[in-house]
Amino acid sequence: MSDAPIIQIKNVSKLYGGTVKAVDGVDLEVGRGEFFALLGPSGCGKTTLLRMLAGFEVPTAGQVIIDGQDMATVQPNKRPVNMVFQSYAVFPHMSVEQNVGYGLKMERRPAKEIRERVAEALELVKLGHLGKRMPDEMSGGQRQRVALARALVKRPKVLLLDEPLSALDAKLREAMQLELVRLQKTVGITFVIVTHDQSEALSMANRIAVMNQGKVQQVAPPAELYEMPANRFVADFIGKINMIEGDSTAAGDGEVRVKAHPLGEMTLKGTATGKVALAVRPEKIFVDEKEPTDPNLIKVKGKVGEVAYFGSYSNVFFDIGLGQPLQADISNVSSDIEEYTFKAGEQYWIYWRKSDTLVLGD
Amino acid sequence: MSDAPIIQIKNVSKLYGGTVKAVDGVDLEVGRGEFFALLGPSGCGKTTLLRMLAGFEVPTAGQVIIDGQDMATVQPNKRPVNMVFQSYAVFPHMSVEQNVGYGLKMERRPAKEIRERVAEALELVKLGHLGKRMPDEMSGGQRQRVALARALVKRPKVLLLDEPLSALDAKLREAMQLELVRLQKTVGITFVIVTHDQSEALSMANRIAVMNQGKVQQVAPPAELYEMPANRFVADFIGKINMIEGDSTAAGDGEVRVKAHPLGEMTLKGTATGKVALAVRPEKIFVDEKEPTDPNLIKVKGKVGEVAYFGSYSNVFFDIGLGQPLQADISNVSSDIEEYTFKAGEQYWIYWRKSDTLVLGD
Amino acid sequence: MRLFRRNPDPMGPLDYSRRLWLRAFVAVTLFFLYAPIIGLMAFSFNDSRRNVVWRGFTTDYYVKLWNNDSLMMAFANSLTIAVMTTIVSTILGALTAYVLWRYRFPGKAVYEGGMALPIVIPEICMGVAMMVFFARIGWPAGLPWPINLGSITIAHIAFAFPFAAIVIRARLESFNRELSECARDLGASEYRVFRDIVVPHMRPGLIAGALLAFTLSLDDFVITFFTAGPDTVTFPVKIYSMVRFSVTPEVNAASTVLILVTLVVTTIALWIQNRNNMIGKSAH
Amino acid sequence: MRLFRRNPDPMGPLDYSRRLWLRAFVAVTLFFLYAPIIGLMAFSFNDSRRNVVWRGFTTDYYVKLWNNDSLMMAFANSLTIAVMTTIVSTILGALTAYVLWRYRFPGKAVYEGGMALPIVIPEICMGVAMMVFFARIGWPAGLPWPINLGSITIAHIAFAFPFAAIVIRARLESFNRELSECARDLGASEYRVFRDIVVPHMRPGLIAGALLAFTLSLDDFVITFFTAGPDTVTFPVKIYSMVRFSVTPEVNAASTVLILVTLVVTTIALWIQNRNNMIGKSAH
């Protein structure tokens, strides 16, 4: 097995009606065995990109290369990829076995091989006992397993998944997230998943490409994406974040001097200059009645506004004299309710590490 | 204003087809000015109960009393309550002003009073400038505001809300949660909300009734519900929780002696005896390489299994020698990624406070 | 919806001109459908009494229609019957649709099935049944105009109102019942809910149903033929009796008029239905 | 969907028997619709040549129908035409529906509109147009059976296949295009996708469309009347010519047979449509 990327997307664009750019000059590489996520709001072009890999959309410009082979003239039924569709697309008039075996039948495999591989694939997705069932006798979760088995039985080089969990309810979705990760480790095939749900992408993928308006905004592993977002869009789209507007000037050595009301002036790691946002994640914020003394902290006095209790954490909004409040997520690490009760109007010192502060340009 | 509860539900049941109990002997009281939530999975009877308050369903047995008055013979159009419907039910052929004024027109109020009160209600929901708009020119969020204004303009004694946020997307939903709380504080009217979303109920309501299969499981403020669930159903339905099976015997003085593999034997606060579940919330669990010494902790050695990264926290599954893993939510309070990276197979001490441990009967 | 319709043509549009069999198929079926009708309409402008060869354009035959008193009388009869049928059918249809939608009562299923009978039953049988029915109840003949159109109008109503009812019923299906609950909740009586909320929603269905009843009545030949007395000739019956002598360009002209009226009315009805479907979609 | 249909009758069912006006309305409309038809059918069993009074039950007139050679010939003609029409209309309709659903091509909107023309155009005009058309192209007369039914059959196909196409097209609307994409993705050629995935989905539409074409052809009077030669009599035309003499119980019996055949076929078609709608719903 070579080390070359299994998927290379080179400067690909897709225009609709000659002008609307659904995908706009995208360059991407996906490595062998990766669990790769395309993440973005609806209409950002992520699905169009996935459908180009499957062959259902033709790029207006650029090249799609899978396992070293240019896909420009390869029809969908001849590509070394398989797809799990959003609706699962389980053939309603075929039994589970017939569904899973359909792809092998199209390859004209001998009946015995089909039987064996179908049984194996059904075992893999834990549906070994349901081969004779018809799709309308199955739950949504089971139908998704059929769709997975049907794609994996073809032993594709890449498995494409289009919002595979969006049709499931919340509890099932969480369980399937873990199971998809397990499955990908078992079969070792490259997975490319499209999702609009950031927690899905963060928890499952090795690497994530965040897209907006047809363009890739950032490609990075989950933790890097969350802790070091490349720009405001990514910071805002992934998780919750506080942004305080400020002015930044270069201070050399990968540092900038930032002035932001009401935090004052400080030197921070970063490169963005001019109008910037000082950004900090709500769970990185600490709250105390006493003023902290550590010089590596950014601190500000604030008054408790609204408090939203979520059980495992409380989302507390502090008025720090800005237009919008500063929100802090306080993890409720003790069952003693009094310990983390915030009352509107109380004054606190709010602080966070300078190293946890991001300086974001546009 | 008297201190008697504004709503009294006395032993109310509702049978469909003579046998199916949609609501089964419910007793509830809602106080004046409360923000009360009916929470439960779909089909638990919460919506039926709400519709009984509005008068669209008639109880098979029991009494519904609103503000001291028995509602048995009162038609929906004569009740001192108003409802915000799940679909918002904005009249499509009427302008926003006509929609909001409809209820006052039915009361035969003079045109001038209607005009003034409509304007006031639209200000309240921040739609003052959109009175002439038609509903099909508005977004989902704006239509919801119309529905709110239309119900509030009637100055009901109780405002009923049927899954008011389920038709909005995730970002808007969060913003509206805060705004509904603010609105309720402003108008001071009792709100009764029906929802299947526990985070919605926890973050908005003063008090929550958790329902299952037509019965009320527990009525309590959010934090009490989360930290002191009455039974397994409530513990499992609200938030995530680890449950370890064990045997309990009474030890007097509000304490029980519990034996549970692999934690050993210990004395805990609680009353449930026999087969019980030792339950602990994932965010109450701490992890360390060194063995903790505090005798007030429950501790166990575990091996890291799967790790799901969610940005603000990581959901780490530890194998502690049981059938199911023990999950811990580790808040990512530092942006230094290395600090909270767990690798599969690593050994850790896992511990939590005895006081954070629940002993749950069935 | 988005789930299944993300892309209007996800298989990729195929270039029509490259697909010969498709081109041939489209051409043949279009010809098959259009040729007789277009021929009929075109030759109403042919400057020749014989129908076979094209001799030049003329509107003479339309002028002749206009001056043909018995034909104009038939047209007046047809319009009178159609208007009466439309009014009564729409009211009856709306009430029936509302009753079926709103209430439960014993025998509702039978009633709904019965409603559909006149749509299903062969026209010739309807015609015979109506003829026998009026004969048996002793419907008086030789009444003055327009009362002599009564039997035809009643037969047309019996035939047309189930169509109107079905169109209106279909419209009511898309009604969000939370709207009427909401109006109740805001203090409206049942009657006010009907007037303020249900009727405005029904309106496109009422119009479409009325236009449908109008064209059904205007175009009907078989049932009219069996229930009409000798002195009550309608436009289609008149065309029929003209054809019995020979197919003159006047016949073509009369047919063309009938086709155009029907097409215009139907187009309006479809346009209203489409528009209201689109509004219905955007509102939810 | 759940959003708007939580409750089948949220306003609370009203007791039918307490609502007099509802009771009266239901009774009157039922009578209005049923009486002529039920009368017609009932008196086919009346043991009397005169139609007016009930004299006792008999099936004599059905036996007489059976022994009436010219009527049986007409019935055979009708069935032959209907079967031919059904086969050709269903195939043409399926192809048309598939082409309209699957491809984009210039003039598609015109084509779709044109498709609907025979449904909209007055029957009498269709009849006249067909008659003129066959006369103009010089369709030969006096051919041996069953070739002499050719012109009627062609006219019926032109009239019936758009109905079949619309039913099949409606069925295709509910097709989840991800199914065909998925089959492509799994290695199927376009032809295999059509055969393995699209046709099985179409099937209920094909059956319903075929049954619709069958009843349309079997029941048609006007178009047949204009395109039939003197030696090609169909069942409805035969009933018509029998009525011209007088309404005998044989006419009632013949009408009853036609009604029953139509009702049975239509019921089957509706049943298939309902069943497939329900399956369609449960699958999504």
Side-chain angles (χ1 to χ4, degrees):
Chain A
M1 201 188 265
S2 102
D3 272 353
I6 187 95
I7 297 174
Q8 291 168 281
I9 295 172
K10 291 187 177 170
N11 197 23
V12 161
S13 293
K14 175 78 187 180
L15 274 70
Y16 285 118
T19 49
V20 184
K21 286 197 172 178
V23 173
D24 190 358
V26 166
D27 279 294
L28 269 183
E29 292 194 345
V30 179
R32 279 170 211 278
E34 265 196 298
F35 197 129
F36 193 87
L38 293 166
L39 173 66
S42 67
C44 73
K46 56 190 192 300
T47 302
T48 308
L49 207 57
L50 193 79
R51 291 169 60 79
M52 283 180 188
L53 293 175
F56 297 123
E57 303 276 355
V58 179
T60 313
Q63 244 187 329
V64 173
I65 296 168
I66 298 176
D67 201 22
Q69 195 193 352
D70 189 331
M71 289 287 126
T73 58
V74 183
Q75 287 289 303
N77 53 338
K78 302 291 184 198
R79 296 196 176 198
V81 303
N82 284 109
M83 185 148 163
V84 173
F85 289 82
Q86 193 175 6
S87 67
Y88 310 145
V90 177
F91 305 136
H93 56 287
M94 295 185 193
S95 72
V96 168
E97 277 175 355
Q98 287 168 329
N99 261 284
V100 176
Y102 187 76
L104 298 175
K105 211 170 114 195
M106 291 303 107
E107 290 178 10
R108 299 178 188 285
R109 302 274 172 189
K112 185 162 166 290
E113 184 190 340
I114 294 182
R115 226 173 19 251
E116 286 167 7
R117 281 173 65 180
V118 165
E120 197 184 308
L122 287 176
E123 280 306 322
L124 191 69
V125 297
K126 300 174 191 165
L127 283 181
H129 54 301
L130 295 179
K132 305 293 180 204
R133 282 272 179 93
M134 293 305 284
D136 58 4
E137 302 162 351
M138 308 188 93
S139 69
Q142 288 175 326
R143 265 182 265 167
Q144 193 199 33
R145 285 161 196 271
V146 174
L148 275 168
R150 188 175 55 182
L152 288 172
V153 79
K154 298 259 297 177
R155 294 178 189 153
K157 288 180 178 156
V158 180
L159 184 74
L160 308 172
L161 299 108
D162 183 9
E163 302 266 12
L165 305 176
S166 64
L168 304 177
D169 64 39
K171 287 244 161 183
L172 194 54
R173 192 154 54 220
E174 257 175 58
M176 276 310 293
Q177 284 178 13
L178 288 172
E179 210 167 311
L180 276 178
V181 172
R182 239 175 263 149
L183 190 65
Q184 196 261 342
K185 277 182 191 145
T186 312
V187 297
I189 291 171
T190 308
F191 278 28
V192 177
I193 186 171
V194 154
T195 179
H196 68 278
D197 181 339
Q198 41 119 346
S199 75
E200 221 168 272
L202 289 174
S203 66
M204 293 199 289
N206 303 130
R207 225 149 50 94
I208 300 170
V210 179
M211 293 185 69
N212 191 33
Q213 299 184 327
K215 287 190 170 130
V216 172
Q217 304 290 322
Q218 188 173 5
V219 187
E224 190 182 323
L225 209 59
Y226 185 79
E227 302 295 359
M228 287 178 271
N231 55 37
R232 287 185 194 224
F233 175 81
V234 175
D236 199 43
F237 188 74
I238 312 273
K240 290 184 289 189
I241 200 157
N242 293 294
M243 296 212 203
I244 298 162
E245 301 300 319
D247 290 291
S248 161
T249 47
D253 207 19
E255 293 195 325
V256 286
R257 187 85 190 146
V258 185
K259 211 163 125 180
H261 175 77
L263 306 177
E265 215 174 329
M266 67 207 87
T267 306
L268 292 169
K269 281 227 164 73
T271 53
T273 54
K275 293 273 170 209
V276 295
L278 283 190
V280 60
R281 300 278 181 194
E283 78 278 4
K284 311 262 191 286
I285 291 179
F286 298 85
V287 172
D288 208 331
E289 282 159 25
K290 298 188 295 284
E291 182 172 358
T293 52
D294 188 336
N296 290 320
L297 296 177
I298 298 173
K299 58 192 173 189
V300 63
K301 251 195 146 155
K303 212 165 62 180
V304 176
E306 271 138 350
V307 181
Y309 177 81
F310 288 98
S312 61
Y313 68 96
S314 297
N315 190 204
V316 187
F317 291 81
F318 290 96
D319 177 4
I320 59 165
L322 281 176
Q324 88 277 28
L326 192 77
Q327 53 177 319
D329 282 356
I330 310 294
S331 191
N332 299 337
V333 290
S334 157
S335 66
D336 183 354
I337 298 169
E338 290 309 309
E339 234 179 72
Y340 49 80
T341 299
F342 293 90
K343 291 198 173 56
E346 287 176 339
Q347 294 269 354
Y348 283 98
W349 278 99
I350 302 149
Y351 58 94
W352 60 92
R353 296 188 198 113
K354 282 191 179 166
S355 59
D356 290 344
T357 313
L358 299 160
V359 182
L360 296 175
D362 283 319
Chain B
M1 202 185 262
S2 102
D3 272 355
I6 187 96
I7 296 174
Q8 291 169 282
I9 295 172
K10 291 187 177 170
N11 197 22
V12 161
S13 293
K14 175 78 186 180
L15 274 70
Y16 286 118
T19 50
V20 184
K21 287 197 171 176
V23 173
D24 189 357
V26 166
D27 280 294
L28 270 182
E29 293 194 342
V30 180
R32 280 169 209 279
E34 267 197 294
F35 197 130
F36 193 88
L38 292 167
L39 173 66
S42 67
C44 74
K46 57 190 192 297
T47 302
T48 308
L49 206 57
L50 192 81
R51 291 170 60 81
M52 283 179 190
L53 293 175
F56 299 122
E57 303 275 355
V58 179
T60 313
Q63 245 188 326
V64 173
I65 296 166
I66 297 176
D67 202 21
Q69 196 193 352
D70 189 332
M71 290 287 127
T73 58
V74 184
Q75 286 289 305
N77 52 338
K78 303 292 182 197
R79 296 197 176 197
V81 303
N82 283 108
M83 185 150 163
V84 173
F85 289 82
Q86 193 176 6
S87 67
Y88 309 147
V90 177
F91 304 137
H93 56 287
M94 296 184 193
S95 73
V96 169
E97 277 175 356
Q98 288 168 327
N99 261 284
V100 176
Y102 187 76
L104 298 176
K105 210 170 113 195
M106 291 303 108
E107 289 178 12
R108 299 178 188 288
R109 301 274 173 190
K112 183 160 167 288
E113 184 190 339
I114 294 182
R115 226 175 16 253
E116 286 166 9
R117 282 173 64 180
V118 165
E120 195 184 308
L122 286 176
E123 280 307 322
L124 190 69
V125 298
K126 299 175 189 161
L127 284 180
H129 53 301
L130 295 180
K132 305 292 179 207
R133 282 272 179 95
M134 293 304 284
D136 58 2
E137 302 162 350
M138 309 188 90
S139 68
Q142 288 174 327
R143 265 182 267 167
Q144 194 199 32
R145 285 161 196 272
V146 174
L148 275 168
R150 188 176 55 183
L152 288 172
V153 80
K154 297 259 297 175
R155 297 178 189 154
K157 289 182 177 154
V158 180
L159 184 73
L160 308 172
L161 301 107
D162 183 11
E163 302 266 11
L165 306 176
S166 65
L168 304 177
D169 65 39
K171 288 245 162 183
L172 194 54
R173 192 155 53 220
E174 257 175 60
M176 275 310 293
Q177 284 178 14
L178 288 172
E179 211 167 309
L180 276 179
V181 172
R182 238 174 266 150
L183 190 66
Q184 197 261 342
K185 277 181 190 147
T186 311
V187 298
I189 291 172
T190 308
F191 278 29
V192 178
I193 186 172
V194 154
T195 178
H196 68 277
D197 181 340
Q198 42 119 346
S199 76
E200 223 168 270
L202 288 175
S203 65
M204 292 198 290
N206 304 129
R207 226 152 49 93
I208 301 170
V210 180
M211 293 186 68
N212 192 34
Q213 299 185 328
K215 288 191 170 125
V216 172
Q217 303 290 321
Q218 187 173 5
V219 187
E224 192 184 322
L225 210 60
Y226 185 79
E227 303 294 0
M228 287 176 272
N231 55 37
R232 286 185 196 222
F233 175 81
V234 176
D236 199 44
F237 188 74
I238 313 273
K240 290 185 289 187
I241 200 157
N242 293 294
M243 296 211 204
I244 299 163
E245 300 301 319
D247 290 292
S248 159
T249 48
D253 207 19
E255 296 196 320
V256 286
R257 187 84 191 146
V258 185
K259 212 164 126 180
H261 174 78
L263 307 177
E265 216 173 328
M266 68 206 87
T267 306
L268 292 169
K269 280 227 167 74
T271 53
T273 53
K275 292 274 169 207
V276 296
L278 281 191
V280 60
R281 299 279 181 194
E283 77 278 5
K284 311 265 191 285
I285 291 180
F286 297 85
V287 172
D288 207 332
E289 283 160 25
K290 297 189 296 285
E291 182 172 359
T293 51
D294 188 334
N296 289 321
L297 297 177
I298 298 173
K299 58 192 174 189
V300 62
K301 253 195 140 152
K303 212 164 66 179
V304 175
E306 271 137 353
V307 182
Y309 177 80
F310 288 97
S312 60
Y313 69 97
S314 297
N315 190 202
V316 187
F317 291 81
F318 291 97
D319 178 3
I320 58 163
L322 281 177
Q324 89 276 26
L326 191 78
Q327 52 176 319
D329 282 356
I330 311 295
S331 190
N332 299 335
V333 289
S334 156
S335 66
D336 184 352
I337 297 169
E338 290 309 310
E339 234 178 74
Y340 48 79
T341 300
F342 293 88
K343 290 198 174 58
E346 288 175 338
Q347 294 270 355
Y348 283 97
W349 277 99
I350 302 147
Y351 57 94
W352 61 92
R353 295 187 200 113
K354 281 190 181 166
S355 57
D356 290 346
T357 313
L358 299 161
V359 182
L360 297 174
D362 283 319
Chain C
M1 272 304 99
R2 193 187 149 274
L3 205 65
F4 302 118
R5 285 292 161 67
R6 189 168 34 220
N7 215 290
D9 197 347
M11 301 187 203
L14 291 172
D15 187 358
Y16 154 60
S17 56
R18 265 187 298 160
R19 294 261 167 174
L20 250 185
W21 70 266
L22 174 62
R23 191 172 213 173
F25 180 73
V26 168
V28 167
T29 49
L30 270 183
F31 174 77
F32 201 38
L33 292 171
Y34 277 122
I37 297 290
I38 290 185
L40 184 79
M41 293 167 81
F43 276 85
S44 72
F45 299 102
N46 187 14
D47 194 5
S48 155
R49 280 223 65 82
R50 303 279 308 138
N51 247 321
V52 190
V53 202
W54 182 260
R55 294 266 176 161
F57 182 86
T58 179
T59 54
D60 280 3
Y61 299 108
Y62 288 90
V63 177
K64 274 192 191 153
L65 283 193
W66 182 254
N67 295 325
N68 182 336
D69 281 346
S70 69
L71 196 79
M72 288 314 284
M73 186 63 208
F75 196 63
N77 281 345
S78 272
L79 279 182
T80 310
I81 294 167
V83 168
M84 284 302 302
T85 302
T86 302
I87 294 169
V88 180
S89 295
T90 308
I91 294 169
L92 276 184
L95 286 174
T96 307
Y98 184 70
V99 165
L100 283 175
W101 174 75
R102 173 74 176 75
Y103 299 105
R104 284 187 226 148
F105 51 87
K108 182 171 168 177
V110 173
Y111 187 55
E112 276 205 89
M115 279 291 312
L117 265 189
I119 297 170
V120 164
I121 282 180
E123 270 191 299
I124 186 106
C125 300
M126 274 288 280
V128 173
M130 285 293 172
M131 183 176 110
V132 174
F133 180 72
F134 284 117
R136 189 164 305 136
I137 66 172
W139 190 268
L143 295 166
W145 194 91
I147 305 165
N148 61 350
L149 304 176
S151 58
I152 300 178
T153 307
I154 289 176
H156 279 199
I157 292 166
F159 170 65
F161 103 75
F163 287 90
I166 280 175
V167 169
I168 297 164
R169 179 97 167 83
R171 174 64 187 162
L172 281 172
E173 279 301 314
S174 71
F175 184 75
N176 174 3
R177 286 190 195 241
E178 285 195 347
L179 289 177
S180 53
E181 288 190 347
C182 184
R184 284 286 279 167
D185 187 64
L186 292 169
S189 63
E190 283 219 36
Y191 166 71
R192 286 305 295 250
V193 173
F194 180 72
R195 208 193 77 177
D196 296 346
I197 312 296
V198 179
V199 169
H201 180 84
M202 264 190 186
R203 192 164 293 137
L206 292 175
I207 298 171
L211 294 174
L212 181 61
F214 185 82
T215 60
L216 283 172
S217 170
L218 192 70
D219 297 347
D220 178 70
F221 168 71
V222 176
I223 291 167
T224 312
F225 189 71
F226 282 101
T227 45
D231 52 339
T232 50
V233 172
T234 67
F235 201 66
V237 173
K238 182 73 190 170
I239 291 177
Y240 166 77
S241 62
M242 286 161 78
V243 173
R244 288 184 74 184
F245 296 106
S246 90
V247 183
T248 58
E250 283 100 332
V251 171
N252 289 11
S255 298
T256 304
V257 169
L258 192 57
I259 290 171
L260 290 181
V261 171
T262 307
L263 278 184
V264 167
V265 173
T266 308
T267 307
I268 294 170
L270 286 177
W271 178 74
I272 287 168
Q273 287 231 296
N274 273 337
R275 202 189 48 164
N276 97 49
N277 279 347
M278 274 159 63
I279 289 171
K281 270 176 199 161
S282 77
H284 295 320
Chain D
M1 274 304 103
R2 193 186 149 276
L3 206 63
F4 301 120
R5 286 293 163 67
R6 189 170 35 217
N7 215 290
D9 196 348
M11 299 186 206
L14 291 173
D15 188 358
Y16 152 62
S17 56
R18 264 187 298 160
R19 295 260 166 177
L20 250 185
W21 71 266
L22 175 62
R23 192 174 212 173
F25 180 73
V26 168
V28 167
T29 49
L30 272 183
F31 174 78
F32 202 38
L33 292 169
Y34 277 121
I37 298 289
I38 289 183
L40 185 79
M41 292 167 83
F43 277 84
S44 70
F45 299 102
N46 188 14
D47 193 6
S48 155
R49 280 223 66 83
R50 301 280 309 142
N51 248 320
V52 188
V53 202
W54 182 260
R55 296 268 176 158
F57 183 85
T58 178
T59 54
D60 280 3
Y61 298 109
Y62 288 90
V63 178
K64 275 192 190 151
L65 281 192
W66 182 256
N67 294 325
N68 182 336
D69 282 347
S70 69
L71 195 79
M72 289 313 284
M73 186 62 208
F75 196 65
N77 281 346
S78 272
L79 279 183
T80 311
I81 293 166
V83 168
M84 284 304 300
T85 302
T86 303
I87 293 169
V88 179
S89 295
T90 308
I91 294 169
L92 276 183
L95 286 174
T96 307
Y98 184 71
V99 165
L100 283 175
W101 174 75
R102 173 74 177 77
Y103 299 104
R104 284 189 225 149
F105 51 87
K108 181 172 169 176
V110 173
Y111 188 55
E112 275 204 89
M115 278 291 313
L117 266 190
I119 297 170
V120 165
I121 281 180
E123 271 191 299
I124 186 109
C125 300
M126 273 289 278
V128 173
M130 284 293 171
M131 182 177 109
V132 175
F133 181 72
F134 284 117
R136 190 164 304 135
I137 65 171
W139 190 269
L143 295 165
W145 194 90
I147 304 164
N148 60 349
L149 304 176
S151 59
I152 301 178
T153 307
I154 288 175
H156 278 200
I157 292 167
F159 170 64
F161 104 75
F163 287 91
I166 280 173
V167 169
I168 297 165
R169 180 95 165 81
R171 173 65 188 162
L172 281 172
E173 278 302 314
S174 71
F175 184 74
N176 173 3
R177 287 191 195 241
E178 286 195 347
L179 289 178
S180 54
E181 288 188 347
C182 183
R184 284 287 279 168
D185 187 66
L186 292 169
S189 63
E190 282 220 37
Y191 167 70
R192 285 305 294 251
V193 173
F194 181 72
R195 209 192 77 175
D196 296 346
I197 312 298
V198 179
V199 168
H201 180 84
M202 263 191 191
R203 192 164 294 137
L206 292 176
I207 297 170
L211 294 175
L212 182 60
F214 184 83
T215 61
L216 284 172
S217 169
L218 191 70
D219 297 345
D220 178 72
F221 169 71
V222 177
I223 291 167
T224 312
F225 189 74
F226 282 101
T227 45
D231 52 341
T232 50
V233 173
T234 67
F235 200 66
V237 173
K238 183 72 192 173
I239 291 176
Y240 166 75
S241 62
M242 285 161 77
V243 173
R244 289 185 72 185
F245 296 106
S246 91
V247 184
T248 58
E250 284 99 331
V251 170
N252 289 14
S255 298
T256 304
V257 168
L258 191 57
I259 291 170
L260 290 181
V261 171
T262 307
L263 279 184
V264 167
V265 173
T266 309
T267 308
I268 293 171
L270 287 176
W271 178 74
I272 287 169
Q273 286 229 299
N274 273 336
R275 200 188 50 164
N276 94 50
N277 280 348
M278 275 160 62
I279 288 171
K281 271 176 201 163
S282 78
H284 294 319

